[in-house]
Amino acid sequence: MTSADHTATHLTGVIPPVVTPLNEDRTLDVAGLEAVLTRMLDAGVHGVFALGSTGETAFHPMSVREQILRETVRVVDGRVPVLAGVVAPQTAETIERIDQAQELGADGVVATAPFYAITARPQIQRHFELLGEHASVPVYAYDIPVCVHTKLAPDMLVDLGTSGAIAGVKDSSGDDVTFRRLVAMNRAAGSPLSLLTGHEVVVDGAYLSGADGSVPGLANVDPEGYVRLDAACRGGRWDEARQEQDRLAALMDIAFGVKGQSGWGAGVGAFKAALQLLGVTASRQVPQPFDALDEQDVAAVEAVLGRAGLLPRDR
Amino acid sequence: MTSADHTATHLTGVIPPVVTPLNEDRTLDVAGLEAVLTRMLDAGVHGVFALGSTGETAFHPMSVREQILRETVRVVDGRVPVLAGVVAPQTAETIERIDQAQELGADGVVATAPFYAITARPQIQRHFELLGEHASVPVYAYDIPVCVHTKLAPDMLVDLGTSGAIAGVKDSSGDDVTFRRLVAMNRAAGSPLSLLTGHEVVVDGAYLSGADGSVPGLANVDPEGYVRLDAACRGGRWDEARQEQDRLAALMDIAFGVKGQSGWGAGVGAFKAALQLLGVTASRQVPQPFDALDEQDVAAVEAVLGRAGLLPRDR
Amino acid sequence: MTSADHTATHLTGVIPPVVTPLNEDRTLDVAGLEAVLTRMLDAGVHGVFALGSTGETAFHPMSVREQILRETVRVVDGRVPVLAGVVAPQTAETIERIDQAQELGADGVVATAPFYAITARPQIQRHFELLGEHASVPVYAYDIPVCVHTKLAPDMLVDLGTSGAIAGVKDSSGDDVTFRRLVAMNRAAGSPLSLLTGHEVVVDGAYLSGADGSVPGLANVDPEGYVRLDAACRGGRWDEARQEQDRLAALMDIAFGVKGQSGWGAGVGAFKAALQLLGVTASRQVPQPFDALDEQDVAAVEAVLGRAGLLPRDR
Amino acid sequence: MTSADHTATHLTGVIPPVVTPLNEDRTLDVAGLEAVLTRMLDAGVHGVFALGSTGETAFHPMSVREQILRETVRVVDGRVPVLAGVVAPQTAETIERIDQAQELGADGVVATAPFYAITARPQIQRHFELLGEHASVPVYAYDIPVCVHTKLAPDMLVDLGTSGAIAGVKDSSGDDVTFRRLVAMNRAAGSPLSLLTGHEVVVDGAYLSGADGSVPGLANVDPEGYVRLDAACRGGRWDEARQEQDRLAALMDIAFGVKGQSGWGAGVGAFKAALQLLGVTASRQVPQPFDALDEQDVAAVEAVLGRAGLLPRDR
């Protein structure tokens, strides 16, 4: 874990939030997970993020979460850092999950602000300080107000970075104005934080604002595209980046066009349907209380994949 | 548990959400919990609700939650039904907690809508159906949009009651208009649900609307007052009820006046400070990342208790 | 207007927000307005509120708003106080409307917090102070967060009452907990404010909390019911009040059951459909961009009216 | 106006929302407005937007709004198109303002979704259709959920563009993900809409996403910077664009650092303080119920301007 500790301290590049393939009976599809991860690693991703929102962190019993992380660490086998989501409503439970994640070999952990109980900024800051004091691997703050109903203030994040409590931020806040300010504040403080965007259709703009990397759910479907996009952005080839991004944004219609499911079930349901259509996994099953996409939605996903030239028969 | 199954199926009266007294080191203060519960039982409450939001459900490691419920069941000793909060972000984890709660002797469980991942009505309804199918004790739906950011639709609740999935509702939605509609719909369906209000300053109005009972956090401080209020409401002595309610609403200023803490920490912090001032518990400690009320806020709580004639020296 | 100034300073009882009947071509139906008002006055209402949200304050050109208020003042003819809505996004325009309303004979005006531009509490307080300084008739604060996206703080309202800036509050906040606190704070300050609830299905509970009166949109359909409800509440006959309220709450299903329209269009659309079915007005037309209820929704309204025994043939 | 009709149909480039300089007594400072506009025109802006949120559209009596637009048209004198905000809570009043704006010589109008009354998508779409049918100049949709509490759906906007109801969108939604989708949908429909971003610190990213122009409030302070940024983006010189944008984002700290005012008053208050410090206007006055920035906040604005090298003595 020593080397991992190093590699996870200032992450850059593409770190996809890995979906959790399930068998029809909703148990973990280990072979499917292996296939998804191998495809990402072959594409050249720079890290993987297990047990994120996309990875069904909230949906599985604790024993299954341990199994997911264990298998992920086994398959990745040290080739890239493995981040683990440690999402829980409050501090004590988050700390329990940090302990589990470390024991199972995670190179870094990703934690949200507290949720459920109403919690103000001083307590949110203290929460991250406690996590940082406790963890022996780097802690990333997960800014996802659509789930936790709190936006993390950029000055607080930079303070937490300066004090060493957190190593970076996964920004899924949908607030590009504040992200630009966060970049500027972080730079002024000596760049203690690695800043990663979670919005797969505006990665190019986030890089232009100063992002260090991306955590795109859609990279489950097209990891090569995101690796190319990352390279173009880092190389300053912005028009090439824009074209790749426009192509990937069109591919994201697999999620935006879903009609039979909504919210979480539409996005992750579409990623899973695409992986099944691409022959990567055997099933598109999702956890209770959601249902897998129905035939009509699968046909729509297939049409988008076809237009994008991603289906086997189109290649 | 057989008799418990019966008593928790149509709860009425005062069922306080019990605070979780802590020692200074944030371990469970078993003697304090015993004192709080004994005081409630002596006052004549009709049930107790452990591990609710007030009871720090979200804040403690799983092992401590088990300890809290075990001790609660032990102290109550079958005198009234014990409800247990089984609050978790999604279905699978909620079911794990139902199993634990049943094993530890809970007579009913209280579950919220899923939170964290965005979940629409069909999935929320399925969530409660799955809980109802799984549980062998009655399931109460906890309508608390301030925490889970979803309001439970009254027609869905009545459908879930009619199908037997849930036995009642704890309404902490702050929406008295919809509560009145829920009462009417429930009555039209043959009253499958027991309807309990969680708003301690308008219990009289909720009873006038047709509530079956209340789950008032403030009953940790003044259980006798809520038992009197319940009796007055059920006896149709509305002017008496109103006077008692006005007195209790004034007492609620212990929470509304807190300056050093906010949100969850202000409300539960004030209840705990009052219990310490009343000599019921030794400490007013709260879990991380919150702090106990500071001296200035404690003085304000003391002043309110004094005006209400509740302090030992005032009696 | 001298006497009116007096009568509007501490309003009590039933003060319905009057709908604005329209001809099919969306001009003001003066005869319809006269019929609606006469029916209310005959029922014994204690005031009327023109140009509220129900009265289409936001929907008509300024010239039509003047016509609505002029006709209302003419028909009421001093028998009860006439309140006029002076709803505008900011202070200067609100003051223009206060001048118009006073000129046209309003006995009091009803103003919201500023909306559109983001405005914090100090500016909201200053807004009401400026209105109070300017107006020669009493100003009522309209607490309607669902429209203006700000909740008026109870201590600010009582401060504004104590300083003489406002004479009362129309509470449409849907927050019965804070309303109870507002009543208590107002009482402690010597009751400078008249406190009126705008929620037609929980008027009994609001009176139990200490309301001085109600502003129920549904009183357009059944003014007699609300006059009876008011009398029962004021007489302390709470069980009678509750029965009347339950009957009126069931009648409110005319609005809750609408399928073809939503939001504002469902509520006011249903009131207008009911008035047409009752033979009070000739048309159920509503302003652009809304449409009148369609035949299917009208049939549903008719069924509710029938069950309530309000249709001519049922009498 | 014929030529103006043409130039406002597919706007591109920098179209600043012009502040409304006031004298200390809160009357319009005509000389100040002339100075602000002349500075913008000298810098090479491609249009101006009067009576936007920044331009105090909501704050002034109708007569003053007419004066503002009249003077703006007079000063601009046909050199660039003049857009006029026609912000009103509902359709009928918006149409009145369109008539006024056209009469006073506006080349295009900018209208929000209805606000105040709760209005769903079909009515919002109808609202814009009615505006488009009525107006003889191009109508721009103003997507500003922070003020009107509705987000305009991208497919609705493209439909309205295709039918000719609207000519473009001013996007102040803060939702860069949906903006990217709007660009793609607009392109697929043949680009009926001109798409303008209102977020001054991420204009480069918006251009990368496919924006046609920007409406930056900060261009009141530094119009030349935004003209340079626009040229760099349109020329594909993205690294140059990014540097200019980073500089302008740092300048935006004049607004983010304000302590004595909040919301609208902080942003526009800071722009006005900067213009006073730059010697463009004589006063930094703002309309009731807001106050101009206090000395401490002015000093903070001055420090930011100094760091940016914008103060006269720094040049």
Side-chain angles (χ1 to χ4, degrees), chain D residues 60-125:
Chain D
H60 290 287
M62 215 52 65
S63 58
V64 177
R65 294 187 210 184
E66 294 185 11
Q67 187 191 8
I68 294 167
L69 183 53
R70 187 180 299 113
E71 296 294 342
T72 301
V73 169
R74 178 185 64 76
V75 174
V76 171
D77 196 24
R79 284 176 282 180
V80 296
V82 174
L83 296 183
V86 290
V87 174
Q90 280 292 345
T91 309
E93 203 176 343
T94 308
I95 284 177
E96 285 194 318
R97 295 193 187 176
I98 289 176
D99 288 342
Q100 290 172 326
Q102 291 181 164
E103 205 167 305
L104 292 165
D107 302 307
V109 292
V110 185
T112 66
F115 51 100
Y116 189 74
I118 301 170
T119 310
R121 175 168 164 165
Q123 283 76 43
I124 294 173
Q125 181 149 357

XYZ file of all heavy atoms in Angstrom, chain D residues 60-125:
501
model
N -37.278 49.545 -10.803
C -37.687 50.912 -11.082
C -39.153 51.017 -11.499
O -39.687 50.104 -12.121
C -36.788 51.505 -12.168
C -35.395 51.738 -11.662
N -35.093 52.751 -10.781
C -34.238 51.077 -11.867
C -33.807 52.700 -10.480
N -33.264 51.689 -11.120
N -39.755 52.130 -11.174
C -41.114 52.392 -11.658
C -41.100 52.395 -13.187
O -40.062 52.614 -13.811
C -41.450 53.787 -11.123
C -40.460 54.057 -10.043
C -39.248 53.235 -10.356
N -42.263 52.160 -13.763
C -42.356 52.021 -15.217
C -41.802 53.250 -15.942
O -41.141 53.125 -16.975
C -43.816 51.773 -15.593
C -44.003 50.860 -16.761
S -43.106 49.271 -16.585
C -43.963 48.578 -15.177
N -42.070 54.419 -15.398
C -41.615 55.639 -16.078
C -40.088 55.685 -16.139
O -39.507 56.127 -17.136
C -42.150 56.871 -15.352
O -41.710 56.857 -14.001
N -39.427 55.237 -15.090
C -37.963 55.237 -15.092
C -37.435 54.173 -16.049
O -36.440 54.382 -16.750
C -37.412 55.018 -13.662
C -35.885 54.948 -13.669
C -37.890 56.130 -12.734
N -38.116 53.041 -16.106
C -37.674 52.013 -17.064
C -37.730 52.567 -18.496
O -36.844 52.300 -19.305
C -38.574 50.782 -16.976
C -38.448 50.084 -15.661
C -39.209 48.775 -15.645
N -39.646 48.521 -14.274
C -40.267 47.432 -13.870
N -40.542 46.473 -14.731
N -40.627 47.280 -12.611
N -38.762 53.304 -18.775
C -38.859 53.880 -20.115
C -37.707 54.849 -20.357
O -37.103 54.861 -21.429
C -40.205 54.590 -20.288
C -41.371 53.606 -20.245
C -42.712 54.270 -20.526
O -42.723 55.447 -20.955
O -43.750 53.607 -20.312
N -37.400 55.635 -19.338
C -36.300 56.601 -19.462
C -34.967 55.885 -19.713
O -34.176 56.296 -20.561
C -36.229 57.426 -18.175
C -35.250 58.582 -18.221
C -35.027 59.193 -16.844
O -35.485 58.674 -15.830
N -34.301 60.310 -16.828
N -34.743 54.803 -18.992
C -33.490 54.051 -19.149
C -33.345 53.551 -20.586
O -32.303 53.713 -21.225
C -33.453 52.847 -18.162
C -33.402 53.342 -16.711
C -32.276 51.931 -18.471
C -33.676 52.260 -15.666
N -34.417 52.963 -21.100
C -34.342 52.394 -22.445
C -34.213 53.497 -23.496
O -33.431 53.385 -24.453
C -35.570 51.514 -22.712
C -35.578 50.790 -24.054
C -34.296 49.984 -24.273
C -36.800 49.881 -24.152
N -34.964 54.585 -23.297
C -34.909 55.693 -24.254
C -33.489 56.254 -24.353
O -32.963 56.457 -25.450
C -35.893 56.788 -23.834
C -36.034 57.919 -24.858
C -37.023 58.996 -24.407
N -38.358 58.456 -24.228
C -39.001 58.348 -23.056
N -38.415 58.760 -21.936
N -40.212 57.846 -22.999
N -32.873 56.472 -23.212
C -31.514 57.024 -23.193
C -30.517 56.032 -23.785
O -29.574 56.422 -24.481
C -31.112 57.404 -21.768
C -31.950 58.514 -21.142
C -31.783 59.868 -21.842
O -30.797 60.044 -22.580
O -32.659 60.732 -21.666
N -30.721 54.759 -23.510
C -29.811 53.739 -24.050
C -29.866 53.737 -25.579
O -28.830 53.727 -26.259
C -30.187 52.346 -23.492
O -30.104 52.385 -22.070
C -29.255 51.270 -24.031
N -31.074 53.744 -26.103
C -31.238 53.749 -27.565
C -30.611 55.016 -28.160
O -29.951 54.969 -29.197
C -32.737 53.630 -27.931
C -32.960 53.908 -29.414
C -33.262 52.255 -27.553
N -30.826 56.130 -27.469
C -30.271 57.391 -27.952
C -28.736 57.338 -28.000
O -28.121 57.692 -29.010
C -30.711 58.542 -27.025
C -30.139 59.903 -27.423
C -30.481 61.004 -26.413
N -29.897 60.813 -25.088
C -28.613 61.023 -24.770
N -27.749 61.430 -25.681
N -28.175 60.817 -23.535
N -28.115 56.865 -26.933
C -26.650 56.853 -26.876
C -26.071 55.844 -27.874
O -25.106 56.132 -28.582
C -26.169 56.528 -25.444
C -24.656 56.358 -25.407
C -26.628 57.608 -24.467
N -26.666 54.670 -27.937
C -26.133 53.635 -28.828
C -26.285 54.054 -30.288
O -25.414 53.794 -31.130
C -26.825 52.284 -28.554
C -26.433 51.258 -29.613
C -26.452 51.782 -27.157
N -27.400 54.685 -30.575
C -27.601 55.320 -31.887
C -27.361 54.358 -33.054
O -26.703 54.703 -34.045
C -26.651 56.532 -31.989
C -27.065 57.463 -33.128
O -28.259 57.448 -33.519
O -26.175 58.170 -33.640
N -27.866 53.136 -32.892
C -27.822 52.205 -34.020
C -26.489 51.540 -34.275
O -26.370 50.729 -35.206
N -25.488 51.858 -33.472
C -24.177 51.264 -33.740
C -24.160 49.758 -33.490
O -23.468 49.014 -34.164
C -23.112 51.967 -32.884
C -22.750 53.343 -33.450
C -21.779 54.072 -32.556
N -22.466 54.653 -31.407
C -21.855 55.364 -30.442
N -20.547 55.538 -30.500
N -22.528 55.879 -29.448
N -24.889 49.315 -32.475
C -25.038 47.871 -32.193
C -26.499 47.641 -31.801
O -27.196 48.584 -31.436
C -24.114 47.398 -31.034
C -22.641 47.562 -31.401
C -24.446 48.117 -29.730
N -26.945 46.417 -31.859
C -28.328 46.153 -31.439
C -28.519 46.395 -29.941
O -27.607 46.133 -29.153
C -28.538 44.672 -31.759
C -27.441 44.283 -32.680
C -26.289 45.191 -32.383
N -29.678 46.887 -29.587
C -30.066 47.093 -28.188
C -31.143 46.079 -27.824
O -32.232 46.083 -28.412
C -30.601 48.521 -27.960
C -31.131 48.663 -26.532
C -29.524 49.553 -28.248
N -30.816 45.210 -26.880
C -31.826 44.315 -26.328
C -32.442 44.978 -25.100
O -31.750 45.677 -24.359
C -31.208 42.980 -25.902
C -30.585 42.097 -26.986
C -30.093 40.784 -26.361
C -31.609 41.807 -28.079
N -33.733 44.721 -24.890
C -34.412 45.281 -23.714
C -35.041 44.164 -22.909
O -35.753 43.315 -23.461
C -35.485 46.274 -24.152
N -34.789 44.162 -21.613
C -35.453 43.212 -20.741
C -36.925 43.558 -20.607
O -37.278 44.722 -20.422
N -37.779 42.547 -20.736
C -39.234 42.743 -20.559
C -39.684 41.735 -19.504
O -40.511 40.867 -19.753
C -39.992 42.575 -21.893
C -39.684 43.748 -22.818
C -39.623 41.264 -22.600
N -39.120 41.924 -18.325
C -39.318 40.965 -17.240
C -40.579 41.333 -16.462
O -40.666 42.428 -15.905
C -38.090 40.967 -16.312
C -38.330 40.094 -15.098
C -36.855 40.510 -17.086
N -41.538 40.429 -16.442
C -42.767 40.641 -15.677
C -43.300 39.284 -15.265
O -43.023 38.278 -15.930
C -43.793 41.393 -16.509
N -44.071 39.235 -14.166
C -44.482 37.925 -13.658
C -45.334 37.094 -14.619
O -45.259 35.871 -14.566
C -45.262 38.266 -12.383
C -44.693 39.570 -11.932
C -44.370 40.313 -13.202
N -46.127 37.753 -15.476
C -46.980 36.929 -16.332
C -47.079 37.487 -17.750
O -46.534 38.549 -18.054
C -48.380 36.760 -15.718
C -48.428 35.684 -14.622
C -48.218 34.276 -15.164
O -48.299 34.029 -16.369
N -47.907 33.342 -14.277
N -47.776 36.762 -18.585
C -47.810 37.005 -20.024
C -48.345 38.386 -20.388
O -47.722 39.117 -21.181
C -48.660 35.912 -20.702
O -48.201 34.634 -20.262
C -48.553 36.005 -22.214
N -49.474 38.754 -19.856
C -50.120 39.998 -20.295
C -49.220 41.206 -20.021
O -49.072 42.095 -20.878
C -51.471 40.175 -19.588
N -48.639 41.245 -18.851
C -47.779 42.362 -18.500
C -46.498 42.328 -19.353
O -45.972 43.373 -19.744
C -47.443 42.287 -17.003
C -47.041 43.611 -16.401
C -46.809 43.491 -14.894
O -47.261 42.490 -14.292
O -46.160 44.402 -14.341
N -45.986 41.137 -19.618
C -44.806 41.024 -20.486
C -45.106 41.603 -21.864
O -44.278 42.307 -22.460
C -44.371 39.549 -20.611
O -44.231 38.981 -19.308
C -43.042 39.432 -21.352
N -46.277 41.331 -22.364
C -46.668 41.851 -23.687
C -46.770 43.372 -23.652
O -46.338 44.062 -24.588
C -47.979 41.173 -24.153
C -47.649 39.744 -24.630
C -48.677 41.987 -25.236
C -48.836 38.916 -25.047
N -47.296 43.920 -22.581
C -47.306 45.389 -22.446
C -45.898 45.961 -22.542
O -45.663 46.991 -23.166
C -47.897 45.796 -21.087
C -49.392 45.657 -20.979
C -49.929 46.390 -19.732
O -49.286 46.288 -18.648
O -50.971 47.044 -19.833
N -44.968 45.278 -21.907
C -43.602 45.790 -21.902
C -42.920 45.606 -23.258
O -42.042 46.385 -23.623
C -42.809 45.105 -20.788
C -43.424 45.506 -19.455
C -42.591 45.166 -18.277
N -43.405 45.471 -17.086
C -43.049 45.232 -15.848
N -41.874 44.677 -15.614
N -43.837 45.536 -14.846
N -43.287 44.546 -23.965
C -42.767 44.388 -25.325
C -43.218 45.570 -26.177
O -42.416 46.158 -26.924
C -43.237 43.043 -25.930
C -42.517 41.879 -25.244
C -42.991 43.012 -27.438
C -42.972 40.499 -25.701
N -44.475 45.929 -26.057
C -44.979 47.081 -26.819
C -44.184 48.348 -26.501
O -43.770 49.070 -27.404
C -46.466 47.306 -26.506
C -47.359 46.246 -27.134
O -46.888 45.556 -28.073
O -48.505 46.099 -26.688
N -43.966 48.585 -25.214
C -43.183 49.763 -24.809
C -41.780 49.708 -25.383
O -41.270 50.692 -25.912
C -43.065 49.829 -23.275
C -44.351 50.172 -22.558
C -44.198 50.014 -21.052
O -43.475 49.132 -20.587
N -44.891 50.863 -20.296
N -41.142 48.540 -25.258
C -39.752 48.409 -25.705
C -39.641 48.650 -27.208
O -38.717 49.324 -27.677
C -39.210 47.021 -25.337
N -40.569 48.108 -27.949
C -40.533 48.297 -29.404
C -40.716 49.766 -29.769
O -40.036 50.300 -30.645
C -41.621 47.448 -30.068
C -41.319 45.964 -29.975
C -42.360 45.070 -30.652
O -42.104 43.907 -30.898
N -43.531 45.602 -30.929
N -41.639 50.392 -29.079
C -41.915 51.805 -29.340
C -40.687 52.671 -29.057
O -40.431 53.660 -29.739
C -43.082 52.234 -28.447
C -43.863 53.409 -28.955
C -45.156 53.526 -28.150
O -45.914 52.527 -28.081
O -45.386 54.594 -27.568
N -39.938 52.261 -28.030
C -38.765 53.046 -27.645
C -37.532 52.691 -28.469
O -36.477 53.273 -28.279
C -38.475 52.850 -26.159
C -39.524 53.450 -25.213
C -39.354 52.906 -23.805
C -39.441 54.978 -25.211
N -37.661 51.712 -29.367
C -36.570 51.460 -30.297
C -35.691 50.266 -30.004
O -34.600 50.131 -30.588
N -36.129 49.366 -29.131
C -35.325 48.170 -28.871
C -35.270 47.294 -30.118
O -36.248 47.188 -30.863
C -35.916 47.384 -27.702
N -34.135 46.660 -30.332
C -33.950 45.780 -31.486
C -34.310 44.333 -31.167
O -34.354 43.494 -32.071
C -32.494 45.837 -31.951
C -32.079 47.252 -32.305
O -32.786 47.885 -33.110
O -31.067 47.721 -31.760
N -34.495 44.037 -29.908
C -34.867 42.705 -29.482
C -35.304 42.784 -28.031
O -34.995 43.775 -27.350
N -36.034 41.783 -27.577
C -36.479 41.781 -26.181
C -36.084 40.474 -25.524
O -35.924 39.448 -26.191
C -38.007 42.001 -26.054
C -38.387 43.424 -26.477
C -38.784 40.970 -26.848
N -35.927 40.531 -24.207
C -35.477 39.373 -23.433
C -36.511 39.117 -22.344
O -36.743 39.981 -21.489
C -34.093 39.637 -22.810
C -33.576 38.386 -22.107
C -33.092 40.088 -23.871
N -37.130 37.925 -22.373
C -38.232 37.618 -21.456
C -37.963 36.326 -20.708
O -37.448 35.364 -21.271
C -39.531 37.483 -22.238
N -38.325 36.315 -19.438
C -38.178 35.097 -18.619
C -39.434 34.236 -18.734
O -40.451 34.651 -19.282
C -37.999 35.454 -17.133
O -39.214 36.050 -16.657
C -36.854 36.422 -16.925
N -39.351 33.039 -18.155
C -40.546 32.252 -17.888
C -41.423 33.028 -16.917
O -40.935 33.898 -16.188
C -40.169 30.906 -17.275
N -42.727 32.733 -16.901
C -43.585 33.357 -15.887
C -43.061 33.050 -14.494
O -42.482 31.985 -14.263
C -44.942 32.686 -16.100
C -44.913 32.142 -17.482
C -43.477 31.787 -17.745
N -43.255 33.959 -13.580
C -42.900 33.667 -12.193
C -44.010 34.141 -11.275
O -45.046 34.581 -11.736
C -41.530 34.238 -11.818
C -41.294 35.691 -12.127
C -41.406 36.665 -11.139
C -40.925 36.093 -13.399
C -41.153 38.003 -11.404
C -40.685 37.435 -13.689
C -40.808 38.388 -12.687
N -43.820 33.976 -10.005
C -44.808 34.222 -8.948
C -45.828 33.073 -8.904
O -45.703 32.227 -8.043
C -45.495 35.577 -9.074
C -46.338 35.898 -7.852
C -45.740 36.255 -6.665
C -47.708 35.758 -7.890
C -46.504 36.496 -5.539
C -48.477 35.986 -6.772
C -47.879 36.356 -5.599
O -48.629 36.572 -4.480
N -46.816 33.049 -9.805
C -47.755 31.924 -9.799
C -47.054 30.667 -10.314
O -46.254 30.732 -11.238
C -48.966 32.248 -10.657
N -47.371 29.531 -9.717
C -46.742 28.276 -10.128
C -47.243 27.888 -11.515
O -48.442 27.780 -11.750
C -47.069 27.154 -9.122
C -46.581 27.550 -7.731
C -46.427 25.840 -9.555
C -47.077 26.620 -6.647
N -46.290 27.705 -12.419
C -46.617 27.515 -13.817
C -45.814 26.346 -14.359
O -44.598 26.301 -14.189
C -46.268 28.810 -14.595
O -46.849 29.930 -13.915
C -46.795 28.772 -16.011
N -46.477 25.402 -14.986
C -45.808 24.202 -15.481
C -45.396 24.381 -16.940
O -45.736 25.371 -17.588
C -46.725 22.996 -15.325
N -44.679 23.391 -17.444
C -44.081 23.504 -18.766
C -45.054 23.856 -19.894
O -44.728 24.710 -20.717
C -43.322 22.207 -19.084
C -42.804 22.239 -20.490
C -41.822 21.160 -20.776
N -41.682 21.030 -22.215
C -40.717 20.390 -22.832
N -39.796 19.814 -22.121
N -40.660 20.316 -24.129
N -46.200 23.235 -19.999
C -47.072 23.591 -21.141
C -47.420 25.075 -21.142
O -47.471 25.709 -22.199
C -48.325 22.735 -20.921
C -47.903 21.620 -20.025
C -46.809 22.169 -19.166
N -47.632 25.641 -19.967
C -47.968 27.071 -19.878
C -46.736 27.937 -20.149
O -46.860 29.022 -20.717
C -48.560 27.395 -18.507
C -50.014 26.957 -18.342
C -50.160 25.475 -18.125
O -49.401 24.879 -17.367
N -51.100 24.849 -18.799
N -45.575 27.479 -19.752
C -44.353 28.238 -20.041
C -44.129 28.287 -21.555
O -43.820 29.332 -22.127
C -43.140 27.589 -19.323
C -43.305 27.715 -17.799
C -41.839 28.243 -19.778
C -42.250 26.947 -17.004
N -44.324 27.147 -22.189
C -44.157 27.101 -23.644
C -45.178 28.027 -24.318
O -44.834 28.814 -25.204
C -44.330 25.652 -24.125
C -44.142 25.503 -25.626
C -43.577 24.146 -26.026
O -43.270 23.313 -25.177
N -43.417 23.934 -27.325
